[in-house]
Structures are given as structure tokens and as C-alpha cells.
Amino acid sequence: MQDWPLFEVFIRSKNGLSHKHVGSLHAADAHMAMQNARDVYTRRNEGVSIWVVEARHITASDPEDKDALFEPASDKIYRHPTFYDLPDALKHM
Amino acid sequence: MQEFTRQSILILADNLMILGQRLGEWCGHGPILEQDIALTNIALDLIGEARNYYQYLAETEGKHEDDYPMLRDAREFKNVLLTEQPNGHWGDTIARQFLFDCFHFHLLEHMVASSDQRISAIAKKSVKEAAYHLSFSGDWVIRLGDGTEDSHQKIQRSVNKFWPYWMEMFTPTEAEQHAIQEGILPDLNKVYEAASSKLESVLAEATLIKPEGQHSRKGGKEGFHSEHLGYILAEMQYLQKSYPGASW
């Protein structure tokens, strides 16, 4: 059980529109990871849907690259949708 | 409430209470954190289900639900012998759980149609939990059986070890027979057929051999228990016996 891979767990809550990362766990395979996620992360009625993904399949950005990746966006406030009126029909923005 | 109904309900409730207590012993000792939580979740499910039955009895008898688990002696407990057997190793606990879940899930599935509305409602509520328990324990039987040479041998031995306790669950006592006639309990033969077919399909997938032999240990449902129950009750009832009426 020492060599069980790490899985990342994402839960969609009752009112949520998207899955949110809630934590990680160990399991022998995806099927067990799903059961474990149910037992570890939805005990208090937190979710209506679970995603599990083996952590090694996630490609993460390097914290070292933080400035190059994100700094350029910080002074471009015109990219925020606050400069025009949203039509009423548009939900979830 | 008729005495045969009362006896039949005690069997249902005590099975869940004692097995829940047994599984609770794993808390903090599971082979891995996630499985530790899984087993204690099941323990809490079972104890919660037991409470539903105790509450039903308490309401009709003017007692408190805690009186049943906390103030009765071993002889008055009606759980099947399987549920009081020690946890052993992980495979033992899984095998014991799987045999019980095969029985319990299919019992509930049929008991939804009980002529007693309260029991029908409890069954309806519990059957979803039992379905998960059965899928959990069944998956583990398959994992271990179809796993390594070592795990295969160990889980086969565990299944063999608990096999003598299998039939007690499906063999009605006089009280249960009466309850079946009245439609309060489902026909245990039908439950047996459904449970057996599930058991066989899981054992086959796990590459395990279904034990042979009709030899069966029973008596629990009549209050005749193995030595183990006394120790469970000693621990479970310690507080109420030392400090009667204690609450928080």
C-alpha cells in the first residue's frame, strides 16, 4: 500500500457549477480512488459529483515562472468585463 | 407490538449494532488512512441504522433507545454469530463484512415491501447505504482474491473461516417465521437466493472457491452467543454500567 499512487480529488457541490479541488488521497486505482474520495471528502454532504485524477497526469506551472506567466496581465484592466453592460440573458459571469 | 415482531426487530437491530461496534475497533488502526475512514463510515452507518429500529421499539415500549444496546445482557442480544466474530486481519474483516452485506442488502431490498410501514420506511432508507457497503466489501474481495498469491490465499482462508456462519442469517427463528407469515419480514428463502447469486458471482470474479459443506453455527438469534459477545458488551456498556444514567 506504500506504492499506491496519489490522486487529486475534485468535487462539485450542490450549488456549484464547476468541480473544485478539495484535496488528495492514495488509492490502488481510479475505482478505489473514487470510493475513497466519497468516504473522505463527501461525508458531510459536500458534493453531487466527484472527479479523481492521478496526480502524475497533472501538468503544473512552475512557481519560478510566476512573473513571466502572470505579471503581464496585472496592468491590463481593460480585459475585465467591467467596461460594458452584460445582457440580462447572460448567466453565471 | 406482538412479541414475534419485537424479537424480529431485535435481531435486525442487534446485528447492526454489534457489527458496527466491531468495525469501530478499526478506527485509528486501518491499513491506510482512506480505508480507516471508509470502515468507520460503514460502522457509523450500521449504528445509525440500528438506532432506527431501537427507536421504533422504544416508542412502542415507552423506553429510551439507549436502553436496548446499553442495558441488556449478552443472553438478550439476538445478533447472528457472524457479527460478533473478531476483526482478525484486513481480509478477515472484509470477508465477514461481505457475507453480511450480501445478506443485509438483499434483505432490505425485499423488506421495503414490509406490511409494517415503519419497517418498510427504515428499509427504504437503509438500502442505499447497504448497496454501498456491498459494493465496497465486494470490490475488496475481488481485489484480494484476484490480487497476489498471498492475498488470494489469505482471503480464501477468511471466507472459509466465516462460512459456517453464513446460513444462520437465512434460517428463520420461530419468531421470524411468524413475522414472515405476517409479511413483516420478507421470505428469507428469496433473500437467500438473491444473496447466494451475488456471492457466487463475486467469488467467481475474485477467482475464489465457494466453500462446501452445510455445517452451520447458529444460536445467536436465540440469544446463545460465542464468548466474544461478552467482551464487546463489556467495552460498549462500560460507561452506562459504571455511571448509570450518565449523559452528555
Side-chain angles (χ1 to χ4, degrees):
Chain A
M1 295 178 183
Q2 310 269 325
D3 49 7
W4 282 1
L6 189 71
F7 284 81
E8 299 298 335
V9 182
F10 301 80
I11 305 268
R12 185 163 69 81
S13 64
K14 273 204 181 77
N15 304 315
L17 294 162
S18 56
H19 290 69
K20 285 210 169 68
H21 184 240
V22 293
S24 53
L25 50 75
H26 288 92
D29 55 30
H31 180 71
M32 190 194 287
M34 185 60 80
Q35 284 190 339
N36 288 350
R38 180 261 190 195
D39 282 324
V40 176
Y41 292 110
T42 67
R43 302 178 71 230
R44 298 174 188 85
N45 225 358
E46 291 93 336
V48 293
S49 171
I50 303 174
W51 287 352
V52 291
V53 59
E54 216 180 305
R56 69 185 172 91
H57 293 308
I58 294 177
T59 308
S61 62
D62 187 340
E64 300 263 308
D65 299 339
K66 194 171 67 132
D67 289 347
L69 288 173
F70 309 118
E71 186 74 30
S74 67
D75 62 350
K76 300 181 174 63
I77 53 163
Y78 50 84
R79 290 181 181 170
H80 290 269
T82 47
F83 292 90
Y84 50 88
D85 295 325
L86 288 175
D88 286 342
L90 200 56
K91 298 274 192 321
H92 313 310
M93 279 295 283
Chain B
M1 180 184 288
Q2 306 255 33
E3 182 58 21
F4 64 85
T5 309
R6 181 178 189 276
Q7 292 295 325
S8 302
I9 292 175
L10 278 176
I11 294 170
L12 295 168
D14 291 344
N15 279 344
L16 299 163
M17 190 70 208
I18 296 302
L19 186 57
Q21 184 72 13
R22 267 289 184 230
L23 289 178
E25 292 171 20
W26 273 104
C27 185
H29 300 278
I32 173 170
L33 177 70
E34 289 81 354
Q35 298 308 324
D36 192 299
I37 296 176
L39 270 195
T40 33
N41 268 352
I42 295 175
L44 287 174
D45 283 350
L46 297 184
I47 291 170
E49 291 169 21
R51 287 187 59 197
N52 291 327
Y53 297 111
Y54 290 135
Q55 282 163 0
Y56 184 23
L57 289 178
E59 281 167 33
T60 53
E61 297 181 340
K63 290 186 175 177
H64 189 274
E65 58 170 301
D66 287 349
D67 294 352
Y68 300 91
M70 296 306 166
L71 301 180
R72 284 178 306 147
D73 287 328
R75 187 67 177 75
E76 297 167 85
F77 272 77
K78 308 296 183 194
N79 57 284
V80 293
L81 297 176
L82 177 70
T83 57
E84 67 200 43
Q85 298 309 306
N87 284 339
H89 57 63
W90 178 254
D92 286 337
T93 292
I94 290 299
R96 182 187 63 196
Q97 192 62 35
F98 175 62
L99 294 182
F100 181 78
D101 291 338
C102 277
F103 157 74
H104 188 222
F105 169 73
H106 293 99
L107 174 85
L108 292 173
E109 222 184 23
H110 287 81
M111 209 165 72
V112 166
S114 171
S115 60
D116 184 308
Q117 290 198 338
R118 181 75 172 259
I119 290 182
S120 161
I122 295 173
K124 219 171 278 174
K125 192 161 169 251
S126 308
V127 73
K128 291 173 204 155
E129 291 179 345
Y132 183 75
H133 303 161
L134 180 57
S135 110
F136 174 85
S137 59
D139 282 354
W140 266 105
V141 168
I142 294 166
R143 262 175 212 291
L144 296 171
D146 194 20
T148 65
E149 181 63 32
D150 190 33
S151 72
H152 175 86
Q153 283 181 6
K154 277 187 168 171
I155 189 72
Q156 180 71 64
R157 275 200 295 270
S158 302
V159 171
N160 296 350
K161 180 166 142 185
F162 293 117
W163 188 247
Y165 301 100
W166 170 245
M167 280 312 292
E168 184 186 8
M169 298 187 281
F170 306 98
T171 313
T173 62
E174 220 170 287
E176 284 181 315
Q177 227 142 24
H178 206 147
I180 292 166
Q181 277 161 18
E182 298 291 325
I184 294 166
L185 286 185
D187 181 352
L188 290 186
N189 288 325
K190 283 194 183 139
V191 176
Y192 173 73
E193 280 167 28
S196 283
S197 111
K198 173 70 181 175
L199 176 101
E200 279 165 20
S201 80
V202 169
L203 290 184
E205 198 178 339
T207 69
L208 294 171
I209 296 162
K210 185 183 164 190
E212 294 290 330
Q214 296 298 311
H215 172 68
S216 85
R217 306 264 324 262
K218 53 185 175 219
K221 295 205 278 194
E222 305 276 9
F224 300 108
H225 293 280
S226 59
E227 60 178 306
H228 306 298
L229 184 64
Y231 292 96
I232 298 176
L233 297 186
E235 190 177 327
M236 188 171 93
Q237 299 177 334
Y238 163 77
L239 196 86
Q240 275 305 318
K241 289 200 165 159
S242 305
Y243 306 96
S247 65
W248 66 85

